[in-house]
Amino acid sequence: MTETTKTHVILLACGSFNPITKGHIQMFERARDYLHKTGRFIVIGGIVSPVHDSYGKQGLVSSRHRLIMCQLAVQNSDWIRVDPWECYQDTWQTTCSVLEHHRDLMKRVTGCILSNVNTPSMTPVIGQPQHETPQPIYQNNNNVPAKPTAAKILGKVGESLSRICCVRPPVERFTFVDENANLGTVMRYEEIELRILLLCGSDLLESFCIPGLWNEADMEVIVGDFGIVVVPRDAADTDRIMNHSSILRKYKNNIMVVKDDINHPMSVVSSTKSRLALQHGDGHVVDYLSQPVIDYILKSQLYINASG
């Protein structure tokens, strides 16, 4: 498959990230590597979306702290970003609503880099200061440049993602046009399929099987419309888990299980173990958390006692 015929993917992980661990980051890396190895996907971005403070989980520290820790954890990544939208809402948001938010946000972002072939976009560039006169994306340049490569096109998507964390509707096709083309002779380029996939561990997948925990209509949207990438933890039997839910069985083809090293050292790392290690002064915490996150936790005196 060529670069433009492969499905381009944004991985979105929702959760407490209380605190964010090396395991969370490795989950993104393992998922991306696995999807690339299938030959059918190109992962162009990852989003960490911490849950709202009103989620009500015992020991959940303020989103202000969790957002900073997440930023520190991904500061050296060139493709994973932290999105604060969930934390900034008035109340807790369902996973389904978070996916839909990013889908709708991507619609607006693509308006900044895509356009109807007959009507140039006048949408302000993402990140442009408010109240500033919007600049048309297409410049009236009589020197029509050479057709951009797929890498250049995807670079524009990545650039927008680096400005604000966003994704788009599941499985749609957009037509890219040259932003420097003469407005009277705008050319059509390759169509690229983009998808947003929920990234999770097998523990979240297993929670789908708990009666009454998830709204079934939300499950239909999450699994049926968006799709899931599952990174197993503790050698979990994902086939057994999926067989316990009629919705998971129904949309089994939309669930991709990362099949790499089931004994991966990061598969047993968790936020719970990290908090316990911090409370007991266990030196193994360096195996669970990155040093910048540890430094911030110690400086802010987080997780020092059992209450979080």
Side-chain angles (χ1 to χ4, degrees):
M1 300 178 73
T2 66
E3 296 292 291
T4 53
T5 57
K6 292 179 181 179
T7 299
H8 294 71
V9 169
I10 304 295
L11 296 172
L12 170 66
C14 299
S16 300
F17 302 106
N18 188 44
I20 188 169
T21 69
K22 291 180 178 179
H24 290 125
I25 304 304
Q26 280 298 310
M27 182 171 67
F28 276 95
E29 299 290 350
R30 292 169 65 189
R32 182 175 69 161
D33 290 347
Y34 178 77
L35 292 178
H36 286 177
K37 287 176 182 177
T38 67
R40 297 185 292 121
F41 303 96
I42 297 177
V43 177
I44 62 173
I47 298 174
V48 176
S49 183
V51 76
H52 192 274
D53 287 340
S54 65
Y55 180 57
K57 190 173 183 178
Q58 184 177 7
L60 184 68
V61 303
S62 165
S63 59
R64 177 175 65 87
H65 291 305
R66 289 182 289 115
L67 284 169
I68 292 173
M69 288 187 286
C70 287
Q71 291 282 10
L72 291 170
V74 305
Q75 63 184 346
N76 293 323
S77 175
D78 61 358
W79 69 281
I80 305 173
R81 299 289 182 266
V82 180
D83 186 274
W85 181 82
E86 267 195 87
C87 296
Y88 289 172
Q89 301 312 296
D90 292 333
T91 187
W92 169 76
Q93 302 294 307
T94 65
T95 300
C96 185
S97 66
V98 177
L99 286 163
E100 290 174 336
H101 158 73
H102 286 289
R103 174 197 63 196
D104 296 340
L105 182 57
M106 190 57 174
K107 285 181 179 179
R108 298 200 298 274
V109 172
T110 54
C112 296
I113 57 175
L114 311 175
S115 175
N116 181 292
V117 292
N118 296 315
T119 308
S121 172
M122 289 296 292
T123 308
V125 176
I126 292 298
Q128 179 173 296
Q130 293 184 353
H131 310 304
E132 190 170 300
T133 304
Q135 297 296 319
I137 290 209
Y138 301 110
Q139 304 298 320
N140 192 357
N141 187 342
N142 292 326
N143 298 318
V144 180
K147 178 178 177 178
T149 63
K152 178 180 177 182
I153 292 171
L154 293 177
K156 292 183 179 297
V157 177
E159 184 180 349
S160 291
L161 286 169
S162 69
R163 288 172 178 163
I164 59 173
C165 297
C166 53
V167 285
R168 45 136 260 80
V171 191
E172 285 187 13
R173 286 187 175 273
F174 293 104
T175 299
F176 286 83
V177 294
D178 185 356
E179 68 174 25
N180 295 309
N182 183 291
L183 296 184
T185 58
V186 171
M187 296 178 289
R188 182 186 296 270
Y189 293 120
E190 296 94 342
E191 293 181 335
I192 294 177
E193 185 178 297
L194 297 170
R195 288 187 67 182
I196 170 175
L197 297 174
L198 178 67
L199 174 63
C200 67
S202 50
D203 51 342
L204 187 144
L205 184 72
E206 193 162 17
S207 73
F208 283 147
C209 303
I210 300 175
L213 184 61
W214 289 82
N215 179 290
E216 289 198 3
D218 283 359
M219 287 178 62
E220 288 271 353
V221 173
I222 293 168
V223 189
D225 292 350
F226 287 93
I228 303 178
V229 180
V230 182
V231 179
R233 294 182 57 182
D234 298 324
D237 186 345
T238 53
D239 287 332
R240 178 191 61 79
I241 293 172
M242 287 188 279
N243 285 332
H244 275 75
S245 165
S246 59
I247 292 178
L248 296 182
R249 289 197 303 271
K250 177 180 178 182
Y251 296 111
K252 192 170 183 177
N253 291 337
N254 285 355
I255 302 172
M256 286 162 280
V257 179
V258 174
K259 297 177 180 177
D260 55 6
D261 182 6
I262 61 173
N263 296 314
H264 194 288
M266 288 295 107
S267 66
V268 296
V269 173
S270 70
S271 295
T272 300
K273 287 184 178 180
S274 302
R275 293 194 301 272
L276 288 173
L278 288 163
Q279 290 162 15
H280 296 118
D282 187 343
H284 284 99
V285 70
V286 298
D287 298 325
Y288 308 150
L289 307 176
S290 66
Q291 193 59 50
V293 172
I294 293 174
D295 292 342
Y296 181 83
I297 288 172
L298 295 178
K299 178 182 177 181
S300 304
Q301 292 290 291
L302 304 176
Y303 311 116
I304 301 304
N305 54 55
S307 64

